[in-house]
Amino acid sequence: MTGSNSMSSGYCSLDEESDDFSFFTAKTSFFRRPKAKEVAKSVTKEEEEDKPTSLTEEEIKAKIDDYNSKVTENGMKLSSDGTYTGFIKVHLKLRRPVTVLSVDGKLPGTCSSSDSSDNRASFYLPSDAVKQLHISSTTTVSEVIQGLLKKFMVQDNPRKFALYSQTRRDSQDLFQKLPLSDCPLYLRLLAGPDLENLTFVLKENETGEVEWHAFSVPELQNFLIILEKEEKERMRQVEQRYAAYREKLLQALCKVEGKPG
């Protein structure tokens, strides 16, 4: 659907048919907790590979015909100027809360922290949520990221996020960070409609260190609140564990002292 969600350069609109989206509150940890068992191994490839060779107009038309023959809906359409439009799906895998702007003073759910002065609140977005985008062959990775943030009224700096391509090889999930100038629909055309060959994933822009200067004051205050809650919960768990140990030791001691010498 074309409408008000178009980007300034390159066509990009969000599919209105998939608007069912809910916000998670800060019930989960801000910090990543290690899993006991990993079902699938994941390997992140930060190196940016060279862009694929450009296709001729005849090759693009043939690719589009082949792509459309493999799908029953949401195919690609070739325009007279040589550009084409189509759909991509983006999986959201964000571990940290995002800052969301409320509508008419109403927040879309229970927030983890809020700033009443400018109607902003921090939320955890649903893990592995999927959003379908209608874009053109000239829409860049940067515009896809901005379009997703605009759709959900996320106020965070777009530089905090990155779009990754996910492929599966030898039972491993391989992630590669896409350059901001890449065109996702062109990559979708080359890979075909099979999600096993290519999946787009929105994640935090991991640079090795947390860029605290990129966060706003309300966000930093929210992180402190979450950290304090986790600290109290961890202390409660440790105290409870040692109290159980102490009780068992006292019971064992009573049994030993009760035995005749």
Side-chain angles (χ1 to χ4, degrees):
M1 168 178 180
T2 65
S4 60
N5 289 320
S6 297
M7 299 295 117
S8 57
S9 61
Y11 174 82
C12 176
S13 66
L14 299 180
D15 184 23
E16 298 296 340
E17 294 182 358
S18 52
D19 278 341
D20 46 326
F21 193 92
S22 58
F23 290 89
F24 280 11
T25 58
K27 294 181 180 179
T28 55
S29 173
F30 169 71
F31 298 100
R32 196 173 199 175
R33 292 171 180 168
K35 297 181 180 178
K37 294 182 179 179
E38 292 291 339
V39 178
K41 297 180 180 178
S42 297
V43 179
T44 302
K45 299 174 67 176
E46 296 293 342
E47 297 80 11
E48 296 178 351
E49 299 178 353
D50 294 336
K51 293 182 180 179
T53 305
S54 299
L55 301 176
T56 64
E57 292 184 9
E58 291 75 14
E59 290 173 329
I60 289 177
K61 184 178 184 306
K63 282 279 188 182
I64 291 177
D65 291 340
D66 180 65
Y67 184 98
N68 291 340
S69 68
K70 298 177 181 178
V71 297
T72 57
E73 59 180 359
N74 296 336
M76 296 191 185
K77 295 182 179 180
L78 181 63
S79 303
S80 58
D81 59 359
T83 61
Y84 48 94
T85 60
F87 293 85
I88 64 170
K89 290 184 178 180
V90 180
H91 294 249
L92 278 65
K93 294 185 178 180
L94 303 176
R95 297 185 290 108
R96 304 188 187 110
V98 296
T99 302
V100 181
L101 185 65
S102 65
V103 180
D104 298 330
K106 297 180 180 180
L107 297 172
T110 304
C111 60
S112 59
S113 178
S114 63
D115 185 354
S116 59
S117 61
D118 56 2
N119 294 328
R120 295 194 304 175
S122 295
F123 288 89
Y124 280 102
L125 294 181
S127 59
D128 205 21
V130 180
K131 178 55 62 176
Q132 184 166 254
L133 305 179
H134 190 205
I135 63 176
S136 81
S137 56
T138 59
T139 305
T140 63
V141 167
S142 176
E143 291 172 323
V144 167
I145 295 175
Q146 294 176 40
L148 284 169
L149 299 183
K150 182 179 179 181
K151 175 66 177 178
F152 301 123
M153 297 176 291
V154 175
Q155 303 299 297
D156 298 271
N157 193 323
R159 290 181 298 176
K160 294 181 185 178
F161 308 93
L163 191 67
Y164 289 78
S165 64
Q166 177 183 351
T167 56
R168 192 162 183 80
R169 186 183 307 163
D170 298 331
S171 300
Q172 288 187 333
D173 290 325
L174 306 179
F175 292 88
Q176 179 184 336
K177 182 179 175 181
L178 297 176
L180 295 177
S181 59
D182 269 13
C183 298
L185 190 61
Y186 179 68
L187 300 178
R188 179 81 277 163
L189 178 64
L190 294 179
D194 191 352
L195 297 181
E196 286 289 328
N197 295 332
L198 174 66
T199 301
F200 295 109
V201 180
L202 183 70
K203 302 171 64 177
E204 282 86 3
N205 188 10
E206 302 292 352
T207 58
E209 295 182 1
V210 179
E211 297 181 1
W212 296 111
H213 64 276
F215 293 90
S216 64
V217 172
E219 288 175 318
L220 294 174
Q221 292 174 340
N222 180 58
F223 295 157
L224 288 175
I225 293 175
I226 296 175
L227 184 63
E228 183 179 356
K229 289 181 178 179
E230 292 190 357
E231 181 183 9
K232 291 181 178 179
E233 176 61 22
R234 186 61 60 86
M235 290 176 61
R236 186 192 67 80
Q237 292 176 357
V238 172
E239 290 175 353
Q240 188 177 31
R241 186 188 311 139
Y242 278 91
Y245 290 158
R246 186 181 299 107
E247 181 67 23
K248 290 181 180 179
L249 288 173
L250 291 174
Q251 292 176 359
L253 184 61
C254 291
K255 290 181 180 180
V256 172
E257 291 179 344
K259 292 182 179 180

